Amino acid sequence: MKKLSFTLLVACFCTILSAQTEFGVKGGLNFTFFKVTEGNFGTNPDTEIGYYAGVFVDFPIESGFHIQPELLYNGVGDFKFLNAPIYLKYDIYDNVHILVGPSLNYFFDFFSNKFKVRADLSLDYDFSSDLSMHMKYTFGLEELSPNVLFLGLGYRL
């Protein structure tokens, strides 16, 4: 009886959560700005274009506020890394949103420091209930951490 009750409780919770939660994919281009006077990035140009792709989950909270974690795979030249921002999202209008939050980054081969925390600021515009466009800027908080501009599209599943 306890197993049946627990199973029903989990099923009800998952149904409620999935009714409010949105899942999606996103991807696009990133523009990395290496011009940092404190660090030497070798033969890298001042700006380099890369790519990113990943998934997101949007949890509505209350009155236009959401929590939106993401997991993105990024490639910029020889650098490959995972980017996991955790956003506080606010609906400015029905189809315009602002997102702010920390960005946790794990670099697969970036000198000796593989983990970096950065700050993100993002704007989203919904073309429809499924398709959106976003632009985000990531600020490096450490001296050897370049800034990055992301431009891309998202699709809610």
Side-chain angles (χ1 to χ4, degrees), residues 60-75:
I61 301 173
E62 182 179 316
S63 302
F65 285 97
H66 310 249
I67 298 291
Q68 182 173 309
E70 300 179 356
L71 182 60
L72 307 171
Y73 179 82
N74 290 266

Side-chain angles (χ1 to χ4, degrees), residues 20-39:
Q20 298 173 359
T21 304
E22 294 180 345
F23 300 91
V25 295
K26 60 173 36 182
L29 297 176
N30 58 39
F31 302 88
T32 303
F33 305 102
F34 287 102
K35 190 165 177 118
V36 178
T37 58
E38 294 87 2

